[in-house]
Amino acid sequence: MTDAVQTQNDQSKFTPRVFSGIKPSGGLTLGNYLGAIKRFVDMQSAEFQSIYCVVDLHAITVWQNPTDLRQATYEVAAGYIASGIDPEKSILFNQSQVSQHAELGWLFNCVARVGWMNRMTQFKDKAGSNAEKVSLGLYAYPSLMAADILLYHATHVPVGEDQKQHVELTRDIAQKFNHDYKVDFFPETQPVIEGPATRVMNLRDGTKKMSKSGESDMERINMTDDADLIAKKFKKAKTDPEALPDTLDGLKDRPEARNLVDIYAALNDMTPEAVITEYAGAGWGRFKPALADLAVAKLAPISTEMGRLMTETAELDRILARGAERAREIAEPILKEAYDIVGFVR
Ligand code: TYM
């Protein structure tokens, strides 16, 4: 993608380690859950050390009311735990408690090229015609994201499709650092973008991504929605008049239908093909209530548990502080070595 120079890198020397993060900017959506958190839970295994972060430094690249930011940070932390992230098995913390993220981020601001940043499609989408007025942080954001990942020498980063370009940039930054300083220090991180729900779409327009910032609340499922609201939103989701086909190919030009099939598959841990086999020929009068029931069965317990956890902020504070301590134990020596490589006196 970029003009970074390839360096030879011995990947086997890096501990298999997962890192990923979610911004506390507004509430969690079903897109965050299926595209990210549910997959984080799956990767919480003996095979990997897993590190999951509430990336509050990223959130403030656009304006956040301080009270709302605090609340959203607790909500994301509660969402992680209620979905099955175990703070004993995984390291769970909020980014601003580990100052090494910002420090390595600065180093990477000096490694990444302006031309690389100019190619970031998410910046272009977010800044739109307003690019002169957005914060410098929003522009530099992908370089901080590279720091989040490489600060732990993370080898695998599970994300939704929209973050792919940022993880590729992370690889470019690692390669350029390794090349410029003639070291084999940062790994070539793999993006892990798998499963049927890497891009969950808006329930009112199947060509747009489901996001926390969409205009209408009916276009997304929030992880704090209760059972009635979840069912109502799926029953009112936009569809077309046709029944479900008997092969996936038949959904090619039917984005709303395809999205609901993918959501069903992801919620029920099955493939979209298997959903089509089960519901071939079914009309929406049958499929939508089945999807609504499934979603309520899977999501309502999470939203109830999130609600409970969010009333226990002292406990969340304790979990995040302990996670930050464990994160620093990994991050600090890596940052120190990076400083030595660069030539800082300490
Ligand atoms: P954020 O906070 O926008 O989203 C968090 C995660 O949720 C995924 N996601 C989706 N997946 C499927 N369908 C959707 N509609 C959908 N919406 C969101 C995102 O792909 C992401 O995996 N830059 C990141 C946060 C970040 C990060 C990192 C991630 C900061 N540092 C280091 C990984 C590693 C972001 O803004 O995600």
Side-chain angles (χ1 to χ4, degrees), residues 278-335:
E278 195 174 328
Y279 285 97
W284 295 110
R286 188 175 145 220
F287 187 73
K288 276 185 170 181
L291 174 58
D293 287 349
L294 173 66
V296 167
K298 299 282 180 178
L299 302 177
I302 300 178
S303 102
T304 306
E305 179 61 3
M306 279 175 73
R308 190 191 68 76
L309 286 165
M310 280 158 69
T311 61
E312 301 197 349
T313 53
E315 175 63 5
L316 291 175
D317 285 340
R318 193 195 60 75
I319 290 171
L320 294 173
R322 171 74 189 122
E325 206 176 293
R326 290 167 68 201
R328 275 192 297 269
E329 279 167 21
I330 304 172
E332 208 180 348
I334 292 179
L335 181 71

Side-chain angles (χ1 to χ4, degrees), residues 19-25 29-37 40 55 58 95 122 126 141 144-146 148-149 157-163 166-167 197-201 209-212:
F19 180 94
S20 203
I22 297 183
K23 282 194 308 273
S25 49
T29 69
L30 182 66
N32 297 130
Y33 175 67
L34 294 178
I37 303 183
F40 301 173
V55 287
H58 284 270
Q95 190 186 20
Q122 205 170 61
K126 282 196 177 175
Y141 173 122
L144 178 62
M145 177 159 159
D148 300 338
I149 295 167
V157 177
V159 280
E161 179 65 40
D162 62 340
Q163 296 299 318
H166 293 159
V167 184
T198 56
R199 192 171 174 81
V200 177
M201 308 308 274
K209 195 183 70 170
M210 183 183 287
S211 80
K212 356 188 175 197

Side-chain angles (χ1 to χ4, degrees), residues 69-144:
L69 177 62
R70 216 164 278 129
Q71 177 70 13
T73 302
Y74 286 131
E75 183 176 329
V76 175
Y80 274 129
I81 299 167
S83 306
I85 298 295
D86 175 346
E88 293 302 318
K89 276 196 206 152
S90 294
I91 297 178
L92 175 61
F93 70 106
N94 60 312
Q95 190 186 20
S96 59
Q97 292 206 60
V98 180
S99 61
Q100 287 82 359
H101 285 253
E103 293 178 69
L104 189 62
W106 178 256
L107 251 56
F108 287 171
N109 283 348
C110 302
V111 173
R113 305 289 92 182
V114 167
W116 301 2
M117 294 297 160
N118 287 340
R119 289 198 275 274
M120 293 297 112
T121 54
Q122 205 170 61
F123 176 77
K124 286 188 218 170
D125 291 347
K126 282 196 177 175
S129 54
N130 209 20
E132 295 279 314
K133 297 225 169 91
V134 299
S135 75
L136 184 54
L138 189 68
Y139 188 65
Y141 173 122
S143 138
L144 178 62

Side-chain angles (χ1 to χ4, degrees), residues 24 51 79 96 107 150 157 188 215 249 262 275 279 283 297 332:
I51 308 176
S96 59
L107 251 56
L150 295 172
V157 177
E188 282 172 25
E215 283 154 39
D249 254 9
D262 286 345
V275 178
Y279 285 97
E332 208 180 348

